[in-house]
Amino acid sequence: MRRLAPPAALAVVLLCAGACTSDKGKNTNAEAAPDESTCRELLGDAGLKWLEERTGDKARLKVEDDLNSARSLFHRQIENYYRKAQEQGPKDPLARMFQKADVCESKKDSTKRGKELEILYGPAATAFDRDLDDSSDGGFTYVETPVNSDVKLIHMTNPWGTISYTVNIKCKIPGTPAEQANEIPLEGHMLDSLTGETSTRIHYTHLLHSAKVVADTFGCENKPVVPAAPPASVK
C-alpha cells in the first residue's frame, strides 16, 4: 500500500491512504524472499531481535514496495513536481500530494487489519527547514529534534493519542534544482501499534537504521550522514 502525503501536515500517515500496488504476476515463493529480505535489511539484526522479543516471535514480515520500486517512485514524483512547476498556467493545488512507498509491514495475523508495525518512505510534504518544534495543528502535536544539518526527527501525536515517528533527510536527486533537498526532503514514517514499545528512543533507533539503508539505496547526491542513534536528549 502506498500512502499519500498532503502538505497540511504529517498527520496524513494516519488519515489518508493511496492506491494499492498492482499484482506483479509472480508466484508466492518468488515474492516471499525479496519481501522478507527487504524488511530484514531495513530493520537490521537489532531491529529484528527487538521485534521478535516484543511479539514473542509471532510477527510476520511483508513488503508492498521493495527498495528499487520505492526509489523509482521517489525520483519520479520529484521530477514530475519540478517539470509541472515550469509549465505555464494555474498551478496544481495538489502538487505536493506525494505517495509514500510501504517498504515494510509486520503483524501477527496476516489475514486481518489489526495491530502492526509499518515503515513508509517518500517525498516529504513540507520543507526540511519548516519549524514544527513543540507546535500544534488541529489537535496534532509535533516535537522536532534536530540531528544534524541533513537529518531531523519529528514525533507526532494525533488527537486520539496515536504516535508516529518521522525522519526527514535532505536527499538531492540527480537533475533537480539545488534547493530540492531542502524543499522536498526524503521522509520516513514508522507507525507501531504492534510491539507495545513505549520508548521514543528505541523507535527512532530502528527508524534511523532504516533511513540509512534507504538514503544509501536512493543515491542521494549530497551524501547525507544518517547516524545510528538519535541524540542523547531523546529518551
Side-chain angles (χ1 to χ4, degrees):
M1 180 183 298
R2 290 175 180 172
R3 302 295 182 86
L4 295 176
L10 301 169
V12 62
V13 177
L14 304 174
L15 299 179
C16 183
C20 292
T21 53
S22 61
D23 184 271
K24 297 180 175 60
K26 299 178 182 177
N27 62 48
T28 302
N29 290 334
E31 288 184 349
D35 280 358
E36 184 169 327
S37 65
T38 298
C39 262
R40 288 182 175 278
E41 185 177 6
L42 290 169
L43 289 169
D45 291 341
L48 291 168
K49 182 179 180 181
W50 165 73
L51 186 61
E52 177 182 342
E53 291 175 347
R54 299 296 299 190
T55 64
D57 197 23
K58 294 181 179 179
R60 296 297 173 258
L61 304 175
K62 178 185 176 183
V63 170
E64 295 288 346
D65 300 285
D66 64 21
L67 292 177
N68 287 333
S69 62
R71 179 184 183 277
S72 295
L73 179 65
F74 177 72
H75 281 219
R76 186 168 65 251
Q77 289 185 100
I78 291 179
E79 288 165 351
N80 286 344
Y81 175 86
Y82 283 106
R83 176 179 55 80
K84 290 181 179 179
Q86 295 175 355
E87 294 176 353
Q88 300 298 317
K91 301 305 179 184
D92 182 359
L94 303 180
R96 297 185 73 99
M97 291 279 285
F98 299 121
Q99 288 183 316
K100 284 187 168 53
D102 198 339
V103 290
C104 186
E105 297 178 20
S106 180
K107 51 186 175 182
K108 293 181 181 180
D109 188 345
S110 61
T111 64
K112 297 179 181 179
R113 182 72 177 180
K115 293 182 177 181
E116 65 182 342
L117 178 76
E118 190 172 22
I119 303 174
L120 307 101
Y121 275 91
T126 56
F128 185 89
D129 60 4
R130 179 183 176 186
D131 186 9
L132 294 172
D133 191 37
D134 295 325
S135 64
S136 181
D137 179 12
F140 293 86
T141 302
Y142 308 89
V143 178
E144 181 178 295
T145 303
V147 176
N148 57 42
S149 60
D150 292 325
V151 180
K152 70 177 180 179
L153 303 170
I154 303 169
H155 179 279
M156 189 272 286
T157 307
N158 73 11
W160 305 277
T162 303
I163 298 171
S164 69
Y165 305 90
T166 299
V167 57
N168 272 197
I169 306 164
K170 289 183 180 178
C171 178
K172 173 68 174 67
I173 71 167
T176 62
E179 63 270 18
Q180 173 264 306
N182 177 73
E183 188 173 45
I184 310 177
L186 170 64
E187 184 168 84
H189 291 296
M190 176 182 281
L191 304 173
D192 179 18
S193 58
L194 174 66
T195 69
E197 180 63 69
T198 59
S199 169
T200 299
R201 183 172 188 82
I202 288 175
H203 280 111
Y204 274 142
T205 298
H206 299 311
L207 180 60
L208 282 169
H209 183 279
S210 73
K212 169 64 173 172
V213 172
V214 171
D216 288 346
T217 302
F218 281 22
C220 307
E221 289 187 324
N222 55 317
K223 308 293 184 184
V225 177
V226 182
S233 59
V234 176
K235 304 300 182 184

